[in-house]
Amino acid sequence: EDMVKRLEALRGCKLRTYDQQGANCDAIFMLALLGEKRGRMLDARDIRRLEVAEQMRKGAFQWAVDAANKGVSATELEVRFGLLSRKDAAVSVLCIRNSAFTD
């Protein structure tokens, strides 16, 4: 899977809602369901694609390149982008599985 396309798809996660004055606005929404595994690790091809995207879009993906070079997973990049870095994120739900609950 192309990591750049996955991150860009997160930009489209919006809900049509209303602001305090009753005007239409888009609210960012992300639902993350995480298991016990860390997620797919990025390989050299993923990192290269992020670097190319960064060169083409100057500044849009530098954070992702830096994080990928530090060894984060694809899931962590998605959560950082879709949940943590968006100032306009109105609704975010993060569910983490805990095996102690089912044991």
Side-chain angles (χ1 to χ4, degrees):
E1 296 179 47
D2 187 343
M3 195 66 231
V4 174
K5 287 181 182 177
R6 287 173 69 172
L7 292 175
E8 288 181 335
L10 288 172
R11 290 177 201 235
C13 297
K14 295 181 181 181
L15 295 173
R16 177 68 61 181
T17 188
Y18 300 96
D19 64 14
Q20 292 177 344
Q21 287 76 36
N24 283 335
C25 65
D26 289 331
I28 304 303
F29 176 81
M30 181 177 186
L31 171 65
L33 303 172
L34 303 177
E36 295 174 348
K37 295 185 179 180
R38 187 171 179 204
R40 181 179 72 82
M41 298 309 295
L42 301 175
D43 58 19
R45 192 169 98 188
D46 292 319
I47 295 171
R48 182 66 191 135
R49 283 181 175 166
L50 288 169
E51 290 170 343
V52 169
E54 169 56 25
Q55 289 172 354
M56 292 173 63
R57 296 182 185 111
K58 302 290 185 216
F61 291 98
Q62 188 59 52
W63 66 271
V65 172
D66 295 341
N69 284 322
K70 291 179 182 173
V72 303
S73 67
T75 303
E76 185 174 345
L77 273 185
E78 291 168 342
V79 169
R80 283 184 181 190
F81 180 73
L83 192 67
L84 302 175
S85 69
R86 308 285 296 267
K87 293 180 177 139
D88 55 352
V91 180
S92 300
V93 179
L94 181 61
C95 302
I96 303 173
R97 181 173 185 253
N98 183 346
S99 63
F101 181 75
T102 58
D103 291 340

